[in-house]
Amino acid sequence: MATRETNLINPNAEIVASSQCLMVNVAAARGLQSVLKSNLGPRGTLKMLVGGAGQIKITKDGNVLLHEMQIQHPTAMMIARAATAMDDEVGDGTTTAVLFIGELLKQAERFTSEGLHPRLITEGFEAARDMTLEFLDAFKVPQPKIFHDRETLVNVARSSLRSKLSQDVADKMAEAVVDCVLSIAVEGEPIDLHMVEIMEMQHRQASESTFIKGLVLDHGARHPDMPTSLENCHILTCNVSMEYEKTEISSGFYYSSAEQREKLVESERKFTDEKVKQVIDFKRRVCQAGDNKTFVVINQKGIDPMSLDMLAKEGIMALRRAKRRNMERLALACGGTAVNSFDDVEPSVLGYAGRVREETLGEEKFTFVEDVQQGKSCTLLLRGPNKHTIDQLKDAARDGLRAVKNAIEDAALVPGAGAFEVAAYRMLQRRKSAVTGRARLGVEAFAQALLTIPKTLAENSGLDVQESVIKVEEEQERDEQPVGLDLTTGETFLPAAEGIWDSPSVKKQIISLSTVLATQLLLVDEVMKAGKAMGKPAQDMMDEE
Amino acid sequence: MAKSMNLNAAAGLKGMLKDGFKTYDGLYGAVFRNIEAAKAIAGMVRTSLGPNGMNKLVVNHLEKIIVTSDCASILNELEVQHPAAKLLVLAAQMQDNEFGDQTNFVVSFAGELLKLAEELLKNGLHTAEVVTGYQRAYQKTMEILPTLVVRSIDNIRDAEELKTGIRSVLATKQFGYEDILSDLVVQATLTTLSPTAKVPKLNIDSVRIAKLKGGSLDQSNVIKGMVILRDAEGLIKRAENAKVAVFGCGIEAAATEAKGTVLLKSAEELLNYNKSEERKMEEVIESIAATGVKVVIANGSISEMAQHFLDKFEIMVVKIQSKFDLRRICGAVRATAAVRLGPPTPEEIGECSLVEVREIGGRKVTVFNQVLDEDTTVATIAVRASTENVLNDVERALDDGIHSVKTLFHDGRLLAGAGAVELELARQLKAYAEEDKGLDQYAIRKFAEAFEVVPRTLAENSGADATSTIHALNTAHLAEGGKNIGFNVEDSVPFDAAAAHVYDLYATKFNALRLAVDAAITVLKVDQIVMAKPAGGPKPRSGAQDPDM
């Protein structure tokens, strides 16, 4: 590498400058694009990630891939970070964003290699972006009543999930995901997806994952004599220690005979026993004999064996050490409030569940709190025969939930299956003439880059790329309908009629974020990396070991 | 050298990742590699399939020697590293967890599917086409399978019927002993059933296996109740028709949670203190004895003083370390474990018709035997065998047997065994492939062929000529009424498996098929592998080699 001024300042620094720098950036973006390309869409293939300890992950979710791959090249890392940040924001579209950025740079490179200044291209990009966003607003289909339209929501969830899971599992999950969101959502209020507990159980098969109207806790009662299944349950959620607590200061007993010691042992227990008795009294008050009511205590703190024994004798099911977040959810799901003391408890603090039952899976226990009264919190129960299946489901479930949430909050949808991209491409080609000067080339590049999405979809389905895209384009020209590409047959169809929907906010994010990032990368003319100040680089030391 | 920013385009993805990452992609890089690994593992366990399957001697990382033909155990000890092979292992483990049987089928069948897929891929078919073909064939299989049920066990309390159901399961693990073992399993499981419940539920946990070295397998027997592999603590070694008290704590002086200090002011107090301790303990033991209790079971330590008084009041003491065993014994004697030392309430006291210490094979064991026809929830199979290895292998076989009984309780349907079901599925699927016009037919045909791995392996392992055997079997299946023809491992000839009472469990087969197909399809669908640098841990040993190897 040629010595440059900066090297005088820090001889260890590594520098890539001017045209070479642009090449590196473009190559990195395209490299990343080619990696993720095969994973796009419902017919994309899977990638297997093997972690440091040999753990297996199988996925085609772009977000997961970028997180797990530990990319080190600075440019690629920047794109990966931006794309995953988008996932945090809207929950989907990671792969699309990476592909789009790569394609934007690839298109731009065509012109820069002919000597066009990157600045002019970026101007074109920005103009094209504004036009596309404007077009998106006009193109999207408003769905003012989507909150009550379960079928459409299921379609939305299905479109999102099918690109991450196999078809039959995706279809089952779509239903479950929509049930979850509808159960916690209140019309007109923002949706808090944290209120959906995602619980995993490793058994049976992935397609048996279900929505549970209530909560599933990943622990069970710790006493053999406690009931394992109850109906018509009062639920008492509390945060009271029902075990012996050590004093904070150092303390001890002095005694000089066994009788005295027995008394001390007794007095020690008394404090805890009192609390347990309060619970038992309370239970007797609310559960009269013959009214078929049962009582469940869910405690955030501990309950010691003796207290458990007392509760078990009363037929109370008691769970100890519940998770904090579950306490919150329990109150939302079953009603009632969590109490911090058993003094003067009123029946109004109790929640209600139609059924509480325990299920044992090998060593692990799960408690199902079902048929709850209020249901402002619910559980998505994921099942799968092995860890990697469950992980895949979990990542997909998150995205599915987000997709439904977006649809409700946007109250609008965009026809999927490449329909929007092709339509936007046609729009840009038409309006290109309005842009003056060399920036027009940027618009041209942008329009071409948009087509990468339908092209990749076609490619992954084993279709003829050019033919498919042209077919869609012609069809759109003919009757001005949002026509997309059917990936199973290779023919054109109306995605809206088939229920293939994308979220406008995801599309919007992809377009604006990709443009910004591509613009930034194009305008970089020098990359500097500071040299390691101390001794040898880490890798060398490892090799000598 | 730290990675340069000058992207090496030729290095592709690897150029962008952290050092030490490895990536494999494409058909040759990833798919064939994975298939190779899966084939290797399937080829290895295949020789252990069926009654005539060979044993494997596995020396695990703790230098423990395991001799078995049980696929799940072999795979567990192997610590498979290759990710694709691991997928097969995971599938087998899942099958083992849920059904205990047919694990070898999962691996062999998945391996065979992949092997045949490789041929298709090399002939130029796209992975997606193979996958859809396999999926369609799988769906068709699931349609055919219920029609192949040859028998159904409806009365699960009928010992004879249950026995016929699980005989073949046990035959594959311990060939030659299947009659003895199935007898033991059925006897033990039926003992634990509640006689009143309409739909009895089997709790696997309540059938215990006590391994006793010495003697031979036919000396094994089923004991109604529990066998604890340790001596009783005190002098009393036998109690009949005894009341039993169970304590979830130790039998010793209660201690305070907070630190307790004995404060003595004079020598007199010192003497008195010990006396008061003794008095207290005597009181407690006496009060226990007063309830008529003859046997005490403790979950914790028993102080010497307590032991003294227990002997004095002629109470037999058994110490049980494990909390789970304690719970089981509670079930066996129908007692409730008390959490505090003191006289138990009448409801807490259990009963046992005979508690005694026996010496079996030089080892003292305490037997809790419910001789009378009482409703106990625990049964123990006392297994006798010559060596530790045989014992362990028999234990695994029994476990599989018990699991199978449980499966039969849920779903009593049986399929013809000895490869008959596989051959029939293969025949019908081939016909299905003939009807198909599209590209899928090739994959469907291969899927059908894959089923032949079972009869072929049975034949190979029995020393018969596999090719001619398969031919003979296939011909037999084409004939009228030949759908239950399987391979007789004893005479190496085709025979009617259903007529000879060789069965496979429907539910087990169903699940095994599902897992195998799932694993195979997952392996096929992966087109890229990204491997992180193995993290931490000691470096693999080099140099110090096993002298024999």
Side-chain angles (χ1 to χ4, degrees):
Chain A
M1 206 183 303
T3 316
R4 293 176 55 90
E5 294 85 336
T6 331
N7 277 32
L8 297 174
I9 304 163
N10 181 351
N12 285 327
E14 200 188 340
I15 296 154
V16 194
S18 62
S19 63
Q20 195 198 0
C21 155
L22 190 63
M23 257 171 57
V24 165
N25 283 343
V26 174
R30 286 179 56 184
L32 206 58
Q33 179 192 13
S34 69
V35 171
L36 290 188
K37 205 168 160 184
S38 61
N39 304 102
L40 185 77
R43 308 202 62 178
T45 52
L46 299 166
K47 278 193 174 36
M48 179 189 267
L49 298 163
V50 185
Q55 68 277 42
I56 298 175
K57 199 156 198 181
I58 291 181
T59 185
K60 56 179 178 175
D61 186 335
N63 180 39
V64 179
L65 284 169
L66 293 176
H67 266 297
E68 305 272 326
M69 281 203 299
Q70 304 206 10
I71 293 163
Q72 213 174 33
H73 188 273
T75 313
M77 194 153 66
M78 206 169 132
I79 299 173
R81 286 220 185 118
T84 51
M86 201 186 80
D87 187 270
D88 297 339
E89 191 71 25
V90 287
D92 204 355
T94 334
T95 314
T96 316
V98 171
L99 295 192
F100 192 46
I101 294 171
E103 195 64 22
L104 279 175
L105 289 176
K106 181 174 151 195
Q107 296 292 341
E109 194 197 15
R110 265 176 51 203
F111 297 107
T112 50
S113 61
E114 287 166 10
L116 186 69
H117 194 274
R119 171 66 71 190
L120 293 166
I121 298 176
T122 59
E123 274 168 23
F125 277 1
E126 273 155 23
R129 177 195 59 199
D130 294 342
M131 284 192 262
T132 314
L133 289 179
E134 209 175 287
F135 177 70
L136 176 64
D137 266 337
F139 190 76
K140 72 183 179 192
V141 185
Q143 302 273 354
K145 284 207 165 45
I146 194 161
F147 193 85
H148 303 286
D149 187 354
R150 186 165 180 278
E151 199 185 325
T152 311
L153 287 175
V154 172
N155 285 337
V156 171
R158 188 162 49 216
S159 313
S160 166
L161 289 169
R162 274 200 184 173
S163 68
K164 295 176 175 70
L165 299 170
S166 68
Q167 196 168 324
D168 53 330
V169 179
D171 293 357
K172 290 242 171 62
M173 283 285 287
E175 302 269 341
V177 160
V178 171
D179 283 337
C180 281
V181 178
L182 286 182
S183 131
I184 60 159
V186 180
E187 197 168 5
E189 280 176 34
I191 299 166
D192 184 2
L193 288 181
H194 287 292
M195 288 306 124
V196 179
E197 165 90 344
I198 296 179
M199 183 54 72
E200 46 196 80
M201 280 170 92
Q202 191 177 340
H203 76 156
R204 304 214 208 138
Q205 46 184 328
S207 54
E208 284 179 51
S209 303
T210 46
F211 156 75
I212 304 268
K213 190 171 162 25
L215 279 183
V216 181
L217 311 173
D218 55 356
H219 52 123
R222 291 303 294 267
H223 195 280
D225 295 340
M226 275 193 184
T228 51
S229 174
L230 290 174
E231 276 172 27
N232 285 328
C233 317
H234 287 300
I235 311 265
L236 177 65
T237 46
C238 50
N239 187 12
V240 183
S241 168
M242 287 201 256
E243 60 190 342
Y244 176 76
E245 295 276 338
K246 280 218 164 69
T247 51
E248 294 205 2
I249 48 160
S250 158
S251 60
F253 288 127
Y254 289 97
Y255 47 82
S256 54
S257 76
E259 283 85 20
Q260 281 178 6
R261 192 190 55 209
E262 293 288 316
K263 279 197 188 117
L264 289 171
V265 170
E266 208 132 288
S267 67
E268 242 183 358
R269 283 293 317 162
K270 202 176 162 206
F271 179 68
T272 314
D273 286 352
E274 287 290 300
K275 280 193 276 197
V276 179
K277 278 203 192 92
Q278 277 178 321
V279 175
I280 290 172
D281 287 343
F282 183 45
K283 183 245 166 183
R284 288 191 180 142
R285 242 193 303 155
V286 292
C287 304
Q288 303 296 332
D291 65 355
N292 284 330
K293 288 270 163 65
T294 51
F295 201 81
V296 177
V297 177
I298 298 173
N299 195 358
Q300 196 185 330
K301 290 240 168 63
I303 306 175
D304 64 13
M306 300 205 202
S307 309
L308 280 174
D309 199 50
M310 289 169 74
L311 294 170
K313 284 204 176 103
E314 272 299 311
I316 297 174
M317 186 179 192
L319 285 120
R320 63 184 185 189
R321 307 210 187 281
K323 289 192 189 99
R324 214 189 115 67
R325 61 188 162 105
N326 278 339
M327 300 304 286
E328 214 175 296
R329 288 179 187 154
L330 272 170
L332 280 168
C334 315
T337 38
V339 292
N340 290 310
S341 146
F342 292 134
D343 300 330
D344 310 316
V345 274
E346 289 302 320
S348 61
V349 302
L350 287 172
Y352 175 82
R355 215 163 117 80
V356 178
R357 67 190 167 88
E358 198 181 286
E359 208 169 285
T360 317
L361 257 192
E363 299 279 286
E364 285 174 78
K365 278 182 177 176
F366 294 88
T367 309
F368 287 69
V369 182
E370 289 172 301
D371 296 335
V372 295
Q373 189 183 32
Q374 228 178 347
K376 284 289 154 247
S377 178
C378 61
T379 305
L380 187 59
L381 183 66
L382 305 178
R383 299 181 206 259
N386 30 42
K387 186 91 179 68
H388 60 86
T389 315
I390 295 177
D391 281 345
Q392 199 183 348
L393 274 180
K394 200 155 79 179
D395 294 328
R398 260 192 58 239
D399 289 356
L401 289 170
R402 294 295 290 266
V404 178
K405 179 184 174 211
N406 287 339
I408 292 177
E409 291 186 346
D410 291 345
L413 294 168
V414 181
F420 169 71
E421 283 79 8
V422 176
Y425 165 76
R426 288 179 44 242
M427 179 277 302
L428 286 174
Q429 293 291 8
R430 272 201 313 274
R431 291 179 58 182
K432 202 165 65 178
S433 46
V435 183
T436 50
R438 282 178 293 182
R440 188 187 285 191
L441 293 172
V443 178
E444 167 73 29
F446 192 93
Q448 288 292 344
L450 275 174
L451 283 187
T452 184
I453 307 300
K455 276 181 186 165
T456 312
L457 285 175
E459 192 185 331
N460 286 346
S461 313
L463 304 173
D464 186 304
V465 175
Q466 310 301 340
E467 195 196 323
S468 317
V469 174
I470 298 288
K471 225 189 265 174
V472 174
E473 207 185 319
E474 281 173 354
E475 193 70 27
Q476 288 201 356
E477 268 160 18
R478 204 170 307 136
D479 52 7
E480 287 301 322
Q481 289 270 351
V483 175
L485 183 64
D486 187 331
L487 298 180
T488 40
T489 59
E491 295 302 313
T492 55
F493 75 136
L494 280 176
E498 296 289 320
I500 298 179
W501 295 105
D502 281 340
S503 148
S505 55
V506 173
K507 286 268 182 265
K508 203 164 143 188
Q509 279 282 337
I510 294 173
I511 291 163
S512 26
L513 186 123
S514 307
T515 318
V516 169
L517 207 64
T519 313
Q520 279 175 348
L521 288 175
L522 279 173
L523 292 179
V524 170
D525 77 335
E526 197 159 337
V527 185
M528 280 167 276
K529 186 173 173 186
K532 289 246 159 50
M534 305 265 291
K536 291 177 191 166
Q539 190 58 40
D540 284 351
M541 306 218 302
M542 302 267 285
D543 289 345
E544 279 168 20
E545 206 175 75
Chain B
M1 170 70 208
K3 191 147 287 179
S4 161
M5 282 183 300
N6 280 315
L7 191 82
N8 179 1
L13 174 62
K14 206 175 167 222
M16 280 182 278
L17 296 175
K18 224 167 159 174
D19 285 320
F21 264 79
K22 277 187 265 178
T23 67
Y24 308 99
D25 57 358
L27 208 51
Y28 281 87
V31 181
F32 287 158
R33 246 170 217 272
N34 285 342
I35 292 179
E36 210 55 51
K39 261 163 60 184
I41 197 134
M44 204 186 69
V45 296
R46 214 169 65 104
T47 53
S48 298
L49 187 87
N52 282 339
M54 305 295 277
N55 280 348
K56 308 263 174 219
L57 191 149
V58 187
V59 183
N60 72 1
H61 65 290
L62 300 169
E63 311 252 314
K64 195 179 160 201
I65 297 168
I66 293 145
V67 181
T68 182
S69 65
D70 182 36
C71 175
S73 321
I74 300 173
L75 295 177
N76 268 343
E77 300 301 335
L78 275 183
E79 297 182 38
V80 173
Q81 282 292 328
H82 192 282
K86 212 164 161 185
L87 286 177
L88 260 58
V89 175
L90 287 174
Q93 276 168 355
M94 205 56 213
Q95 174 74 8
D96 189 41
N97 286 347
E98 289 195 46
F99 293 93
D101 192 25
Q102 296 269 359
T103 43
N104 207 327
F105 175 77
V106 173
V107 180
S108 302
F109 187 60
E112 194 69 12
L113 280 177
L114 289 170
K115 186 172 142 196
L116 296 173
E118 187 183 15
E119 288 173 20
L120 290 174
L121 294 174
K122 282 199 171 143
N123 284 339
L125 228 62
H126 195 263
T127 19
E129 283 151 359
V130 179
V131 168
T132 39
Y134 275 7
Q135 266 160 349
R136 279 187 49 200
Y138 169 66
Q139 272 154 14
K140 185 75 191 168
T141 311
M142 290 297 129
E143 279 170 34
I144 302 172
L145 202 58
T147 66
L148 298 182
V149 171
V150 289
R151 183 173 174 169
S152 182
I153 292 182
D154 303 318
N155 182 10
I156 49 175
R157 287 183 196 278
D158 185 332
E160 285 309 311
E161 282 209 21
L162 273 186
K163 241 183 263 177
T164 47
I166 63 163
R167 241 185 94 243
S168 337
V169 172
L170 290 163
T172 59
K173 317 284 169 190
Q174 293 289 327
F175 192 41
Y177 295 109
E178 65 267 25
D179 288 319
I180 303 172
L181 293 178
S182 56
D183 221 32
L184 289 174
V185 169
V186 169
Q187 213 184 322
T189 45
L190 288 182
T191 312
T192 64
L193 292 189
S194 147
T196 44
K198 216 172 214 166
V199 188
K201 239 182 106 186
L202 176 67
N203 185 1
I204 298 245
D205 208 36
S206 56
V207 181
R208 309 302 307 162
I209 296 169
K211 295 181 283 184
L212 299 164
K213 221 189 302 188
S216 76
L217 201 56
D218 34 289
Q219 287 174 320
S220 310
N221 62 335
V222 174
I223 291 162
K224 232 175 147 188
M226 288 277 289
V227 175
I228 305 291
L229 295 179
R230 68 183 288 152
D231 196 0
E233 298 299 311
L235 298 171
I236 319 294
K237 301 290 185 197
R238 185 186 161 90
E240 263 179 76
N241 294 328
K243 285 189 174 176
V244 183
V246 183
F247 292 103
C249 52
I251 303 185
E252 53 194 345
T256 51
E257 298 260 2
K259 197 173 62 188
T261 313
V262 183
L263 189 67
L264 302 169
K265 295 197 183 83
S266 65
E268 222 154 292
E269 276 188 3
L270 176 64
L271 287 173
N272 286 339
Y273 179 73
N274 265 357
K275 283 216 182 91
S276 73
E277 284 267 16
E278 271 172 40
R279 212 165 36 240
K280 197 77 212 166
M281 187 49 82
E282 187 169 6
E283 262 172 39
V284 173
I285 304 289
E286 197 174 0
S287 66
I288 293 174
T291 59
V293 166
K294 284 277 167 236
V295 179
V296 164
I297 295 163
N299 195 209
S301 57
I302 297 154
S303 69
E304 277 179 30
M305 202 195 292
Q307 186 63 59
H308 165 80
F309 287 112
L310 286 164
D311 283 342
K312 184 177 163 194
F313 289 101
E314 294 188 342
I315 295 175
M316 182 173 177
V317 193
V318 183
K319 191 159 107 178
I320 293 176
Q321 230 89 28
S322 145
K323 273 215 155 85
F324 298 98
D325 269 344
L326 191 81
R327 208 168 285 175
R328 285 181 203 119
I329 210 135
C330 283
V333 302
R334 275 167 305 126
T336 313
V339 281
R340 229 181 295 198
L341 190 62
T345 58
E347 300 90 65
E348 283 173 345
I349 296 176
E351 240 175 297
C352 187
S353 42
L354 177 66
V355 184
E356 72 170 340
V357 177
R358 288 185 203 162
E359 200 175 303
I360 305 177
R363 190 160 183 193
K364 284 197 172 152
V365 298
T366 313
V367 179
F368 287 79
N369 200 351
Q370 297 283 35
V371 184
L372 303 173
D373 200 17
E374 271 172 299
D375 180 14
T376 171
T377 61
V378 182
T380 306
I381 305 176
V383 185
R384 306 291 310 274
S386 47
T387 67
E388 193 84 20
N389 268 321
V390 179
L391 273 177
N392 288 337
D393 211 28
V394 171
E395 186 189 13
R396 281 189 288 267
L398 287 173
D399 269 338
D400 287 0
I402 297 164
H403 263 95
S404 300
V405 172
K406 188 180 176 168
T407 313
L408 280 177
F409 277 20
H410 287 295
D411 187 343
R413 284 179 287 176
L414 295 174
L415 301 162
V421 174
E422 285 83 2
L423 284 162
E424 186 58 20
L425 282 171
R427 190 186 68 78
Q428 296 200 20
L429 279 175
K430 275 181 198 158
Y432 178 62
E434 292 301 325
E435 290 165 21
D436 196 277
K437 298 278 180 289
L439 278 174
D440 291 350
Q441 58 169 306
Y442 300 105
I444 298 174
R445 200 166 291 135
K446 289 290 178 196
F447 193 93
E449 267 176 48
F451 276 116
E452 284 174 7
V453 72
V454 177
R456 184 152 20 92
T457 311
L458 287 177
E460 272 171 23
N461 291 350
S462 311
D465 177 20
T467 321
S468 58
T469 311
I470 290 290
H471 176 71
L473 288 168
N474 275 333
T475 324
H477 268 258
L478 289 176
E480 185 79 16
K483 69 176 184 139
N484 293 332
I485 300 293
F487 179 75
N488 188 338
V489 287
E490 284 173 60
D491 311 333
S492 296
V493 286
F495 75 136
D496 190 319
H501 297 305
V502 177
Y503 300 114
D504 278 345
L505 269 58
Y506 174 81
T508 317
K509 186 67 92 190
F510 179 90
N511 198 56
L513 266 171
R514 201 194 76 211
L515 284 168
V517 175
D518 253 15
I521 288 181
T522 315
V523 172
L524 280 178
K525 268 190 183 164
V526 170
D527 80 327
Q528 189 159 32
I529 311 175
V530 181
M531 284 175 90
K533 192 175 178 177
K539 280 196 170 165
R541 268 190 310 165
S542 55
Q545 279 282 321
D546 204 305
D548 287 342
M549 310 222 171

